[in-house]
């Protein structure tokens, strides 16, 4: 099972929107509505930001939203803030044998 | 508030077995609603799911690591453990433990802070 493909980096100015893509296959992203997104600041543990493609856990700002089309999922950060600068990883359920596959990770830079 | 804490040796010699423990506090590992998993992150690289265990002992392993991985649970201590055999430098990573739903959903909502393991002689 190969890692899901994400852009290495994206950037935006404060207040702007950025979108991170996560491309997999019909065996993972395209086959199930179980895509999650994690934010990771340097030296810290990942934090769940989105689950089930588009659901937000309690406490996550509504600036964060998720979607999916075919084999590609997306995370959009609207109204970009300085504290959003971090690495972001997508993750998908990949079936009862592999269970989870992560994306390659995207560094979000706030200009 | 549920917390997870990884512990174990920070340095392991090549060809030996890496052993880590995750202690669950603020909740019971015997909850019927969750699996307990291990995830690792090599320096400067992405996340990799290693495997997960249910309190009953039922396990799932990443096929790429399955031949070297054993995950076990000790409900009396509210802990679960990871053993990775025949380690090489490629196993150097930060190792995290995390919780994920038992069935019908797939995401990791509570994570430990991580522990760094270096494989070197």
């Amino acid at each position: 099972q190969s890692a899901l493909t994400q852009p290495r980096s994206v950037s935006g100015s404060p207040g702007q929107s950025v979108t991170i893509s996560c491309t997999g296959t019909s065996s993972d992203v395209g086959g199930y509505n179980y895509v999650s997104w994690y934010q990771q600041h340097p030296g810290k543990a990942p934090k769940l930001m989105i689950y089930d493609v588009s659901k937000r856990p309690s406490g996550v700002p509504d600036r964060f939203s998720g979607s999916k089309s075919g084999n590609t999922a997306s995370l959009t950060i609207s109204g970009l803030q300085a504290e959003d600068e971090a690495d972001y990883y997508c993750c998908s359920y990949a079936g009862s044998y592999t269970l989870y596959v992560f994306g390659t990770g995207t560094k979000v830079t706030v200009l | 508030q549920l917390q997870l804490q990884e512990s174990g040796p920070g340095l392991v010699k090549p060809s030996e077995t890496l052993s880590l423990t995750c202690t669950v506090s603020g909740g019971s590992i015997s909850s019927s609603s969750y699996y307990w998993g291990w995830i690792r992150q090599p320096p400067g690289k992405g996340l990799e799911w290693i495997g997960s265990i249910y309190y009953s002992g039922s396990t799932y392993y990443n096929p790429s690591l399955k031949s070297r991985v054993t995950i076990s649970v000790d409900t009396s201590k509210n802990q679960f453990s990871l053993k990775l055999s025949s380690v090489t430098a490629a196993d150097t990573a930060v190792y995290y433990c995390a919780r994920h739903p038992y069935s019908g959903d797939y995401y990791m909502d509570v994570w430990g802070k991580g522990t760094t393991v270096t494989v070197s002689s």
Side-chain angles (χ1 to χ4, degrees), chain A residues 34-36 38 40 43-48 50-52 55 89 91 93 96-104, chain B residues 35 39 41 45-49 52 60-63 66 96 100-101 104-109 111-114:
Chain A
Y34 295 129
V35 176
S36 51
Y38 302 85
Q40 186 179 37
K44 300 296 186 182
K47 175 187 175 183
L48 178 67
I50 295 287
Y51 67 101
D52 293 356
K55 296 178 181 177
Y89 293 90
C91 181
Y93 175 68
S96 59
Y97 187 60
T98 301
L99 217 59
Y100 291 102
V101 60
F102 282 95
T104 50
Chain B
Y35 262 86
I39 302 94
Q41 184 172 35
K45 296 187 178 181
L47 300 165
E48 179 181 37
W49 172 72
S52 300
Y60 286 96
Y61 295 134
N62 187 323
K66 187 173 183 177
Y96 297 98
H100 62 92
D105 222 333
Y106 299 91
Y107 55 84
M108 298 161 201
D109 63 342
W111 293 66
K113 293 183 178 180

Side-chain angles (χ1 to χ4, degrees), chain A residues 4 6-7 23 26 28 35 41 44-45 47 56-57 64 68 70 78 81 83 87 94 96 104-105 107 110:
Chain A
L4 308 175
Q6 298 180 232
T23 301
S26 58
D28 38 64
V35 176
H41 287 108
K44 300 296 186 182
K47 175 187 175 183
R56 274 188 314 275
F64 292 85
K68 191 187 87 167
S78 305
Q81 298 184 7
E83 60 260 37
D87 293 325
S96 59
T104 50
K107 180 174 180 57
V110 181

Side-chain angles (χ1 to χ4, degrees), chain B residues 14-27:
Chain B
S15 80
E16 295 190 343
T17 296
L18 178 160
S19 296
L20 296 175
T21 296
C22 182
T23 300
V24 179
S25 59

